[in-house]
């Protein structure tokens, strides 16, 4: 997953061959029983080696292996190049690469790093603090997220699995009661309540994602016990850090590079390698200047032949993995990667690497992607806070941590076993960690704020990013048979298989959710009774069950959202609704439409011609209201959202008018209203306010300061890190408005519940 502003990885990648089921992953041995059954049909010839462009010329001693007839890249054993010292490497990445940085051999044994140091180390961890001499691993805290959230919040979150179980049971009882009452009403009246059946079907459709998540959340009973560790000393493992970029602004990339070079890690034990897929001459010059000061700085740019697949970010990373063999000393024992805009904290490597060193089967460790340019209220739900603070820790407790695309450190041996980064997917990060789990490796999620990047600053960029993630997840799931069976997932546990199945299914579920949204204004305009019952007692039970389900759901949400923040969780719920049509359209185009009808695997692309960007978050250069509305409503297809909200509200008004015109007495009007449009918790209100998000964003986009104003920069070194304030999402007017809407719906549910005792 990539938080970079270049959300499709690079503009020139859009002309690439589209991805279909006939493409596969590169690098798996065809004689292995764990092969996939799909291959490349048009396999490119080995890429020519190009010289490095930072004053370091590549040695020609290593040539890429030939492709086998089956379509897989055959890893060539390099035993002749492996010195004796490699087998005794204290960090034991067991890579087939030769030991690198041979002028600084590691003295320590592997066993000396396994035991944790019991005495806590200093919390400062500045470069001046790092001890000289032998390395060790300090245990800073029993929990890696101890400083993120603590106190009473932990006690309440501990109740989440139990609250979730209770909420699920109550809701299933409520749905069962609804269906029972419809059947009873039909038997008593001798007519069909079609409107009631459609309404309950919509309720079930909208509830399915929550119910599936509830099943996953209940697994949080398994406590997560990952400690906060630090690697101390200077005898550290060697690491090749790749900074992948493709067309981002030079200053954005250079801020990431400078912060990476400023790691509190021995300079002779890590390299920073810019993998530039855009071949920017100005970026190359800037890296050359840095390399004059930092001997561990390199620039690489692969040759991309028009008409041949370049395989997006995965191809760029694999190119870097091949080329580091030509650097002095060969490849590193570990590989790390950063997106172009992700600024790492100074202790990043020392915080992530220990989790790989203490566990020989740990293939990959990844911290969360956090952001410093998220606007107040986060109107488009770009922050990922619910995923990184709630979902990922639960997955990590169940040994299903994902590689989320930036900030991760990976063991070279594990990469080589799966044939390096898999090709043919828009989500190479998720595919990589999934394949590693399928081979019996472990992955870890390090719940510390160790990197901060930027979210897309325009509406179109956000759509491209999120639809690319969804398509990549589904595409990977198809190729891995939804992690249910097959050689590629043979060694996965039940929880790992369930996770892979769940998140792919949730992306596909947007098809059903979008279809159900179309039905809401139709049934309201239809004017039929939405809640059927045979007698007044049944209506009472329906209202009471609905009240219990609504209140238990609110309580469950409050507990579940605590690590990320209540408002963040609510934003995520609204996001699933308004984003569903975009994801559904891309899934249909990617996996259902034939090529001659426009089918192709790609992220969302605007219709028509968009001559210039909207600059909607820059108060000085943003386009006027008319242009913003025209582009977002028509080019970005938010006209569907506008029409849905307009028609639904008109239908509610018409339905309400009918009740006042037909029903008699206060009680009759109230019962008519709640059974025809206002059934608690006023679902149409939540859906309308959620679907209105793109329109409200076009009307009143958030204003953001210049990126430089969000950073604190060292005037001498140029190293910049986000300010404390920019790392947090401010509470804004939109968050207050949605909370008001939630409060109104909850109060209405309570009032209806109370009033039901008086008729």
């Amino acid at each position: 997953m990539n938080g970079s502003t270049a959300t499709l990885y690079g503009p020139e990648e859009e002309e690439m061959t589209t991805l279909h089921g006939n493409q596969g992953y590169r690098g798996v041995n065809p004689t292995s029983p764990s092969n996939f059954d799909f291959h490349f049909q048009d396999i490119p010839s080995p890429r020519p080696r190009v010289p490095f462009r930072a004053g370091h010329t590549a040695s020609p001693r290593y040539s890429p292996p030939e492709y086998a007839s089956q379509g897989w890249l055959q890893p060539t054993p390099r035993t002749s190049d492996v010195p004796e010292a490699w087998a005794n490497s204290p960090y034991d990445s067991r890579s087939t690469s030769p030991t690198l940085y041979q002028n600084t051999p590691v003295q320590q044994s592997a066993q000396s790093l396994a035991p944790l140091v019991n005495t806590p180390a200093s919390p400062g961890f500045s470069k001046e603090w790092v001890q000289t001499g032998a390395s060790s691993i300090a245990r800073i805290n029993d929990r890696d997220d101890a400083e993120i959230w603590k106190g009473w919040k932990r006690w309440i979150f501990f109740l989440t699995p139990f609250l979730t179980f209770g909420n699920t049971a109550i809701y299933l009882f409520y749905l069962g009661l609804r269906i029972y009452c419809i059947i009873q009403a039909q038997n008593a009246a001798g007519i069909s309540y079609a409107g009631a059946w459609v309404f309950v079907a919509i309720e079930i459709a909208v509830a399915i994602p929550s119910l599936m998540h509830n099943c996953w959340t209940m697994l949080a009973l398994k406590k997560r016990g990952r400690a906060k560790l630090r690697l101390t000393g200077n005898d550290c493992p060697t690491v090749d850090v790749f900074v992948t970029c493709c067309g981002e602004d030079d200053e954005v990339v250079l801020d990431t590079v400078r912060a990476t070079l400023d790691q509190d890690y021995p300079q002779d034990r890590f390299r920073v390698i810019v993998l530039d897929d855009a071949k920017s001459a100005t970026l190359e010059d800037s890296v050359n200047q840095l390399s004059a000061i930092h001997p561990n700085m390199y620039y690489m740019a692969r040759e991309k032949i028009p008409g041949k697949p370049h395989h997006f970010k995965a191809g760029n990373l694999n190119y870097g993995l091949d080329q580091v063999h030509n650097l002095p000393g060969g490849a590193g024992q570990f590989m790390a990667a950063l997106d172009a805009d992700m600024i790492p904290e100074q202790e990043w490597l020392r915080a992530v690497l220990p989790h790989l060193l203490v566990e020989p089967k740990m293939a990959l460790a990844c911290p969360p992607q956090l952001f410093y340019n998220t606007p107040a209220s986060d109107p488009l739900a770009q922050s990922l806070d619910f995923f990184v603070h709630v979902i990922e820790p639960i997955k990590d407790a169940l040994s299903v941590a994902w590689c989320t695309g930036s900030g991760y450190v990976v063991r070279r041996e594990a990469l080589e076993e799966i044939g390096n980064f898999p090709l043919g997917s828009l989500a190479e990060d998720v595919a990589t960690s999934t394949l590693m789990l399928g081979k019996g490796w472990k992955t870890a999620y390090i719940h510390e704020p160790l990197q901060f990047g930027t979210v897309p600053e325009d509406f179109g960029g956000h759509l491209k990013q999120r639809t690319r993630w969804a398509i990549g997840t589904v595409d990977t799931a198809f190729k891995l048979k939804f992690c249910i069976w097959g050689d590629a997932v043979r060694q996965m546990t039940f929880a790992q298989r369930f996770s892979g199945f769940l998140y792919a299914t949730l992306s596909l579920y947007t098809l059903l959710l979008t279809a159900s949204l179309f039905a809401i204004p139709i049934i309201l305009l239809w004017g039929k009774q939405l809640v059927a019952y045979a007698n007044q007692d049944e209506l009472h039970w329906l209202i009471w069950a609905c009240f219990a389900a609504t209140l238990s759901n609110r309580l469950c949400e409050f507990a579940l959202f605590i690590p990320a923040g209540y408002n963040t969780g609510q934003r995520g719920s609204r996001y699933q609704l308004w984003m569903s049509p975009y994801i559904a359209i891309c899934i249909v185009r990617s996996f259902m439409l034939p090529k001659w009808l426009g089918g192709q695997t790609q992220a969302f692309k605007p219709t028509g011609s968009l001559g210039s960007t909207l600059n909607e978050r820059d108060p000085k250069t943003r386009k006027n209201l008319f242009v913003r509305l025209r582009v977002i409503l028509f080019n970005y297809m938010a006209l569907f959202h506008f029409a849905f909200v307009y028609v639904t509200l008109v239908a509610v008004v018409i339905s309400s008018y009918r009740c006042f015109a037909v029903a008699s007495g206060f009680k009759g009007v109230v019962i008519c209203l709640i059974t025809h449009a206002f059934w608690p918790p006023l679902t149409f209100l939540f859906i309308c306010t959620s679907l209105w998000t793109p329109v409200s964003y076009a009307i009143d986009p958030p204003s953001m300061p210049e990126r430089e104003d969000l950073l604190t920069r060292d005037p001498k070194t140029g190293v910049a890190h986000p300010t404390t304030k920019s790392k947090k999402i401010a509470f804004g007017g939109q968050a207050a408005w949605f909370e008001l809407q939630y409060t109104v719906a909850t109060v209405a549910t309570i009032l209806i519940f109370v009033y039901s005792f008086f008729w």
Side-chain angles (χ1 to χ4, degrees), residues 632-650:
I632 291 180
L633 289 180
F634 294 96
N635 294 80
Y636 291 114
M637 301 174 63
L639 188 61
F640 163 77
H641 299 71
F642 179 87
F644 174 90
V645 173
Y646 177 78
V647 175
T648 299
L649 293 180
V650 168

Side-chain angles (χ1 to χ4, degrees), residues 184-363:
Q184 290 293 101
Q186 289 184 157
N187 292 337
I191 60 174
S192 175
Y193 285 90
W197 283 116
V198 174
F199 185 53
V200 76
I202 292 173
E203 281 194 307
I204 294 173
V206 174
I208 285 177
S210 298
L211 293 174
M212 294 179 70
H213 261 298
N214 285 356
C215 294
W216 180 251
T217 305
M218 282 186 280
L219 296 177
L221 277 170
K222 179 177 173 60
K223 290 186 178 181
R224 180 176 177 271
R226 196 167 299 285
K228 184 176 183 178
L229 307 177
R230 287 295 185 272
L231 177 63
T232 68
N234 288 332
D235 283 343
C236 300
T238 54
V239 187
D240 290 325
V241 181
F242 294 146
V243 178
T244 56
C245 57
C246 188
E248 294 85 354
D249 291 341
D250 287 359
E251 279 307 313
V252 172
V253 180
L254 292 173
D255 279 342
T256 299
V257 170
R258 293 190 195 101
T260 309
L261 290 168
D262 193 49
Q263 287 291 296
D264 60 355
Y265 203 79
Q267 188 182 59
D268 58 349
R269 308 305 294 166
F270 79 107
R271 289 187 291 231
V272 180
I273 303 164
V274 174
L275 297 178
D276 183 13
D277 246 7
K279 290 189 177 181
S280 168
T282 55
L283 179 60
E284 180 182 353
D285 291 340
S286 298
V287 173
N288 280 336
Q289 295 176 26
L290 285 173
S291 68
I293 306 172
H294 302 276
N296 60 336
M297 176 82 253
Y298 294 84
Y299 175 93
M300 299 183 186
R302 58 177 173 158
E303 181 180 358
K304 294 162 70 175
I305 302 172
K308 291 191 175 182
H310 307 140
H311 300 298
F312 303 101
K313 185 178 175 181
N316 197 15
L317 287 168
N318 285 342
Y319 173 79
L321 288 171
D322 287 343
Q323 294 296 322
V324 291
H325 290 289
N326 297 327
L327 294 179
Q333 295 164 303
F334 293 88
M335 187 220 93
L338 288 164
D339 284 342
D341 64 329
M342 276 289 170
I343 299 176
E345 297 290 281
Q346 202 176 59
E347 66 270 27
W348 166 53
L349 286 176
R350 289 191 179 274
V352 177
L353 267 167
H355 298 273
L356 294 161
L357 299 178
V358 299
E359 175 57 67
K361 289 298 291 182
M362 187 66 68

Side-chain angles (χ1 to χ4, degrees), residues 296-568:
N296 60 336
M297 176 82 253
Y298 294 84
Y299 175 93
M300 299 183 186
R302 58 177 173 158
E303 181 180 358
K304 294 162 70 175
I305 302 172
K308 291 191 175 182
H310 307 140
H311 300 298
F312 303 101
K313 185 178 175 181
N316 197 15
L317 287 168
N318 285 342
Y319 173 79
L321 288 171
D322 287 343
Q323 294 296 322
V324 291
H325 290 289
N326 297 327
L327 294 179
Q333 295 164 303
F334 293 88
M335 187 220 93
L338 288 164
D339 284 342
D341 64 329
M342 276 289 170
I343 299 176
E345 297 290 281
Q346 202 176 59
E347 66 270 27
W348 166 53
L349 286 176
R350 289 191 179 274
V352 177
L353 267 167
H355 298 273
L356 294 161
L357 299 178
V358 299
E359 175 57 67
K361 289 298 291 182
M362 187 66 68
L364 181 146
C366 188
Q369 285 198 39
L370 304 173
F371 307 98
Y372 63 89
N373 72 330
T374 309
S377 294
D378 190 13
L380 301 182
Q382 296 176 280
S383 68
L384 300 178
D385 278 4
F386 180 73
F387 179 79
V388 303
H389 294 312
V390 179
I391 300 300
E392 272 293 276
I394 294 175
K395 292 171 64 182
D396 186 42
L398 298 167
S399 303
V400 202
W402 271 358
C403 171
T404 52
S406 179
Y408 60 89
V409 181
V410 62
R411 194 183 295 270
R412 288 295 298 259
E413 179 197 3
L415 265 180
E416 289 169 0
E417 186 170 348
I418 66 170
N420 291 341
F421 290 94
L423 307 180
S425 173
L426 292 176
E428 85 295 329
D429 42 15
V430 175
T432 298
S433 49
T434 304
L435 288 173
M436 287 176 172
L437 294 174
K439 290 288 187 181
W441 290 94
K442 297 180 180 179
T443 56
Y445 176 69
I446 315 304
H447 198 183
E448 294 188 56
L450 297 173
Q451 59 175 345
F452 290 86
T454 57
V455 298
E457 295 182 340
D458 62 288
F459 186 74
H462 174 68
L463 294 185
K464 292 177 184 178
Q465 181 192 69
R466 296 305 175 89
T467 53
R468 176 169 58 86
W469 293 353
I471 294 170
T473 301
V474 173
D475 184 53
T476 300
F478 277 133
K479 292 175 179 177
L480 296 179
K481 301 174 183 176
F482 286 85
C483 297
I484 297 176
W485 78 94
D487 292 333
V489 298
R490 186 179 299 277
Q491 299 186 51
M492 279 189 177
T493 63
F494 169 78
Q496 291 167 348
R497 293 171 191 258
F498 179 61
S499 173
F501 174 81
L502 172 66
Y503 286 97
T505 304
L506 287 176
S507 294
L508 287 172
Y509 176 75
T510 56
L511 298 171
L512 179 59
L513 181 58
T514 302
S516 68
L517 291 176
F518 277 103
I520 291 175
I522 295 175
I523 64 170
L524 288 173
L525 287 173
W526 194 5
K528 297 294 184 179
Q529 186 172 330
L530 303 183
V531 180
Y533 53 93
N535 51 61
Q536 191 166 284
D537 286 340
E538 287 188 3
L539 178 59
H540 283 160
W541 277 105
L542 286 171
I543 291 174
W544 298 340
C546 182
F547 169 80
T550 301
L551 269 293
S552 67
N553 184 61
R554 294 288 187 268
L555 184 61
C556 184
E557 286 178 342
F558 178 76
L560 177 62
F561 297 162
I562 273 181
Y566 177 74
N567 290 309
T568 297

